[in-house]
Amino acid sequence: MNSEPDWDLYRSFAAVLREGSLSGAARSLGLTQPSVARHVDALEAAIGTTLFLRTQRGLSPTDAALRLKPHVEALVATSAALLRAAADHAGQVRGTVRISASEVVGVEHLPPILAELRRRHPALGIELVLSNSIDDLLGRQADIAIRMVEPVQQALVTRKVGAVEVGLHARRDYLDRCGVPETMEALAGYDLIGFDAETPAIRAMAGRYPMLRRRLFALCADSDLAQLAAIRAGFGIGFCQVQVARRSPELVRVLEHDCAIELGLWIVMHEDLRASASCRAAFDALAAGLGAIARG
Amino acid sequence: MNSEPDWDLYRSFAAVLREGSLSGAARSLGLTQPSVARHVDALEAAIGTTLFLRTQRGLSPTDAALRLKPHVEALVATSAALLRAAADHAGQVRGTVRISASEVVGVEHLPPILAELRRRHPALGIELVLSNSIDDLLGRQADIAIRMVEPVQQALVTRKVGAVEVGLHARRDYLDRCGVPETMEALAGYDLIGFDAETPAIRAMAGRYPMLRRRLFALCADSDLAQLAAIRAGFGIGFCQVQVARRSPELVRVLEHDCAIELGLWIVMHEDLRASASCRAAFDALAAGLGAIARG
DNA sequence: GTTCTGCTATACGGAAATAGATGAACTCGG
DNA sequence: CCGAGTTCATCTATTTCCGTATAGCAGAAC
C-alpha cells in the first residue's frame, strides 16, 4: 500500500465486478484470464485488502470490493465520456451523444425529436439512457439530461424549455363503468395508480395532495411507463402528462381543476461539453423539440 | 482508433497536461520521460488526434487536448476518491476524508469542528477544499460538501443543519466617520463591498435587493474572505454572516431590519460513501458542529 | 562566445507483463 | 453415475513495455 496502482488494474477490477468471473472479465476486456487474475492480485496487494473470494464458480466480491464498486463505475463512465468527447473532431457533429431522460419522456416525446436530429446529422450516434431514479450527470453516465427539477449546480449548462402539466387521467370506458369522480376526496373509491418510490417530484406532489396516501393506491409502480400503460389498459385513474394523454383519444382527464401539477422542463449539460459541436447540436435539438411540445 | 486505450495512458495524459512537459510529467508520475512520451504517442494514435504540439520548451496542448482536459481531471479525482475509499478498512475511522466548503465557512467555522473531529479520531486525515465556485461533488473532488443551497439530487445524502443569517456589517470607526445608513437607498453613498461573479446565492440576493447594483460597489471581490477582510479593515460596508461578525467586537451590523438574508446550511455526501465509517464520522461531526453554530 | 540547464527524440538491452496451454475442482443435467 | 461445460491456478514462451544512455536543440547566465 504505497504508490498509486496502475489505472489498468481498476479497469480489470471493474470488469471482474461486472462479469463475476476472471474468465468473463478477460473475455470482455480482450485479455486472457491469467492476466486479469494478476491484475486483481496486484490491486489487492496495492490497497492491502482482499477484494474477492475465489470460488470454483467465479469470484465473489467482498464488502470492500462493493464499497469501491461505485467508484470504479464512475471511472468506467468517465472514461467512456472521454472517448465520446475524443471522437468529436474539430467542430463536426459526429461521434456519439448520450442522453438521459425519464422513461415516459424517452418513449413518448423524444423519438421524433431524435429522428429529426439524426436526419440533420447522419454521422451522429445517439445513446438513450432511460431511468427515473438515477442522477446520470453526477457520474458522467450521460452527456445531456432532461430533468423535471431545476438544477442548482453551477458546473452545468441548463436551459428551461417550458413546462409540462401532469393531471389525473383514465380511460373513457373505465369512467363509464365506475363513474367520474367529482372531488379529490372521492378518489379514494377508485382504482388509483401511483408511485412506489420517493423522488423529489413525488414528495412535492404528496405534499400538495395529502389525500393521495400511498396505501390508497391500487397499483404502485415506479416506472411511469408502467403507470401510463395501466391507465391505457383501463386499470383505473393515474397521473400522466396531459401532452401525452392528448394523443390517445380514449384517455380522459378527470378533476382537471382540482389536480394539476406543473413540472418545469430543463435540459442540462456538463459545462465541459459546451465546446462539443455534437453535444451542442443535440442540446439545441432537444430544446427546440421539447419546447414545441411544452407549448402544446 | 479501434479498441479502448489503456487507462494508464489517461493518467500520463493528465500529468502532461498538468505539468506542461513530458519530463515534468515523468517526474510527477515516477516514470521516465521516454515512457510518458510513448504513452502520449499511443493515446494520440488510439484516438486519432494530435493532442500536443511538441516544442523545445515543453508540450503545448491542442484544442482537442483542452476539450478532453475536464474528463481526465474527473478521472484523476475519481481515482483519488477510490483510493481514499480503499483506505477505509472495515468500519474503522481512518484514512482521509476530503471536505469542500466555502472559504468563509472553512476559515471561520470549520477549524474548531475539525480539531474536535481529529481529537476523537486521531487516525483520520482531513483534506479541506475551499472554493466558492466549484461544484466539488460533481467530479468527486470532495467526499463531503457544505452547501448554502438545497441539493436536489437523489444520489446524495443530505442533512440540513440549520441556517445562517447574512447581514450588512461595517467596522465601528467607519460608521463613526461616515455615519450610519438609515435606509437601503442611502447605502449608495457609502463604500460598499460586494461580489463580482454570479452564483445562485448572489442572484437570489440581487433579486431581493435591487438597489445593490453591481456598479455601486466600491470593492468587488469573489472571495468572501477578502470581503470579510475588507470589512474588518474598515474599508466600508459589506455582507457577512452574523455568526462570524459577532466574534469581532469592532464590527457593527447596519440596517438589521432592512437587510437580512437567511441561507440554509446543508451537509452533502455521496450516497456511495454512506458505508464509509470515516465519512460518516466526519459527516456527523460537521452536522453537530455546524448545527451548534447555526443555533447561535 | 561559452557553459549550463531545460526540453524532446531515438536506440537498445533487460525486465515484466501477456498469451497460450494444461491441470484440477466443481456444477449441472441426463 | 458420468460426461460436458464451467471455473481458477500454474507453468512457459513470447511479446511488450520500461529504463538507461545519448544526441540535438533552445534559451539563460556568465
Side-chain angles (χ1 to χ4, degrees):
Chain A
M1 180 160 153
N2 30 23
S3 65
E4 189 187 358
D6 280 353
W7 285 10
D8 285 329
L9 306 187
Y10 296 147
R11 183 167 57 169
S12 295
F13 173 53
V16 174
L17 271 177
R18 174 164 30 90
E19 304 288 338
S21 76
L22 294 179
S23 315
R27 272 191 299 274
S28 113
L29 292 174
L31 298 178
T32 55
Q33 173 256 327
S35 298
V36 180
R38 269 186 318 92
H39 287 178
V40 172
D41 291 345
L43 184 58
E44 288 182 332
I47 67 177
T49 313
T50 302
L51 293 172
F52 294 98
L53 299 175
R54 274 78 169 169
T55 75
Q56 275 75 11
R57 169 160 86 263
L59 270 66
S60 83
T62 63
D63 287 352
L66 292 177
R67 270 207 310 275
L68 299 186
K69 189 176 179 185
H71 295 91
V72 291
E73 284 173 346
L75 283 177
V76 170
T78 306
S79 77
L82 189 153
L83 276 185
R84 285 197 301 276
D88 188 278
H89 287 86
Q92 294 176 43
V93 179
R94 47 176 301 177
T96 304
V97 171
R98 252 173 105 87
I99 299 170
S100 157
S102 76
E103 293 182 334
V104 76
V105 168
V107 169
E108 297 289 334
H109 295 323
L110 291 192
I113 299 173
L114 298 182
E116 164 69 13
L117 172 65
R118 173 73 178 182
R119 233 187 27 197
R120 293 179 52 176
H121 302 290
L124 182 66
I126 299 162
E127 292 182 16
L128 199 52
V129 189
L130 297 191
S131 100
N132 287 331
S133 56
I134 304 183
D135 255 308
D136 303 290
L137 292 184
L138 249 181
R140 277 197 159 69
Q141 274 127 11
D143 301 318
I144 302 177
I146 296 158
R147 293 226 181 128
M148 300 300 198
V149 292
E150 180 169 14
V152 296
Q153 313 187 36
Q154 303 170 45
L156 300 177
V157 178
T158 71
R159 191 184 301 172
K160 180 166 188 180
V161 295
V164 295
E165 192 174 344
V166 172
L168 290 167
H169 292 79
R171 211 165 73 177
R172 193 178 307 276
D173 63 335
Y174 175 85
L175 296 175
D176 292 344
R177 197 167 72 241
C178 303
V180 177
E182 298 294 335
T183 66
M184 288 296 284
E185 286 70 22
L187 284 174
Y190 290 80
D191 303 291
L192 292 184
I193 301 161
F195 300 89
D196 207 11
E198 289 261 318
T199 69
I202 293 169
R203 264 195 295 272
M205 195 183 303
R208 265 182 66 186
Y209 302 107
M211 66 289 289
L212 295 177
R213 281 183 307 267
R214 240 188 76 183
R215 55 184 185 76
L216 280 184
F217 292 143
L219 172 62
C220 281
D222 281 351
S223 161
D224 43 12
L225 265 189
Q227 295 177 37
L228 181 59
I231 298 173
R232 284 186 173 141
F235 181 97
I237 301 177
F239 287 99
C240 117
Q241 297 179 21
V242 298
Q243 284 94 338
V244 172
R246 212 175 279 155
R247 300 197 195 120
S248 305
E250 77 274 17
L251 292 191
V252 179
R253 183 158 182 194
V254 299
L255 289 166
E256 176 166 355
H257 304 292
D258 301 284
C259 182
I261 300 154
E262 183 148 313
L263 294 176
L265 202 54
W266 284 266
I267 305 182
V268 191
M269 176 170 73
H270 263 105
E271 203 172 32
D272 315 334
L273 298 175
R274 193 181 289 174
S276 159
S278 307
C279 290
R280 284 203 71 88
F283 191 93
D284 293 339
L286 288 172
L290 289 175
I293 288 173
R295 282 189 301 274
Chain B
M1 180 161 154
N2 29 24
S3 65
E4 189 187 357
D6 280 353
W7 285 10
D8 284 329
L9 305 187
Y10 297 146
R11 183 167 56 170
S12 294
F13 173 53
V16 174
L17 271 177
R18 175 163 28 93
E19 304 289 337
S21 75
L22 295 178
S23 314
R27 274 192 298 274
S28 109
L29 292 173
L31 298 178
T32 56
Q33 173 257 324
S35 298
V36 180
R38 275 189 292 261
H39 287 176
V40 172
D41 291 343
L43 185 58
E44 287 182 332
I47 66 177
T49 314
T50 302
L51 293 172
F52 295 98
L53 299 175
R54 275 76 168 171
T55 74
Q56 276 79 8
R57 178 160 77 263
L59 271 66
S60 83
T62 63
D63 286 352
L66 292 178
R67 270 208 310 274
L68 299 185
K69 189 176 180 185
H71 295 91
V72 290
E73 284 173 346
L75 283 177
V76 170
T78 306
S79 78
L82 189 153
L83 277 184
R84 286 197 300 275
D88 188 279
H89 287 82
Q92 295 177 42
V93 178
R94 47 175 300 175
T96 304
V97 170
R98 251 173 106 87
I99 300 169
S100 156
S102 76
E103 293 181 333
V104 76
V105 168
V107 169
E108 296 290 333
H109 295 323
L110 291 191
I113 299 172
L114 298 181
E116 164 70 13
L117 172 65
R118 173 73 178 183
R119 235 186 25 195
R120 292 179 52 178
H121 303 289
L124 182 66
I126 299 161
E127 292 181 15
L128 198 53
V129 190
L130 297 190
S131 99
N132 286 332
S133 56
I134 304 181
D135 254 307
D136 303 290
L137 293 185
L138 248 180
R140 277 198 159 70
Q141 274 127 9
D143 300 317
I144 302 175
I146 297 159
R147 292 224 182 131
M148 299 301 198
V149 292
E150 180 168 15
V152 294
Q153 314 187 35
Q154 305 169 42
L156 300 177
V157 178
T158 70
R159 190 183 301 172
K160 179 165 187 180
V161 296
V164 296
E165 190 175 344
V166 172
L168 289 167
H169 292 80
R171 211 166 73 177
R172 192 178 307 276
D173 62 336
Y174 174 85
L175 296 174
D176 291 344
R177 198 168 71 241
C178 302
V180 176
E182 298 294 336
T183 67
M184 289 295 284
E185 285 70 23
L187 283 175
Y190 289 80
D191 304 291
L192 292 184
I193 302 161
F195 301 87
D196 207 9
E198 288 262 318
T199 70
I202 293 169
R203 266 194 294 273
M205 194 184 303
R208 267 183 65 185
Y209 302 107
M211 65 291 288
L212 295 177
R213 280 185 307 269
R214 241 187 76 183
R215 55 186 185 76
L216 279 184
F217 292 143
L219 172 63
C220 281
D222 280 351
S223 160
D224 45 11
L225 266 189
Q227 294 177 36
L228 180 60
I231 298 173
R232 283 185 173 141
F235 181 96
I237 301 177
F239 287 99
C240 114
Q241 297 179 21
V242 299
Q243 284 94 337
V244 171
R246 212 175 277 156
R247 300 196 196 121
S248 306
E250 76 274 17
L251 291 191
V252 179
R253 183 159 182 193
V254 300
L255 290 165
E256 176 166 354
H257 304 293
D258 301 283
C259 182
I261 299 155
E262 183 147 311
L263 293 176
L265 203 54
W266 283 267
I267 306 181
V268 192
M269 177 169 73
H270 263 105
E271 203 172 31
D272 315 334
L273 298 174
R274 195 182 286 174
S276 158
S278 306
C279 290
R280 283 204 72 88
F283 192 92
D284 293 340
L286 288 171
L290 289 175
I293 288 173
R295 283 189 299 274

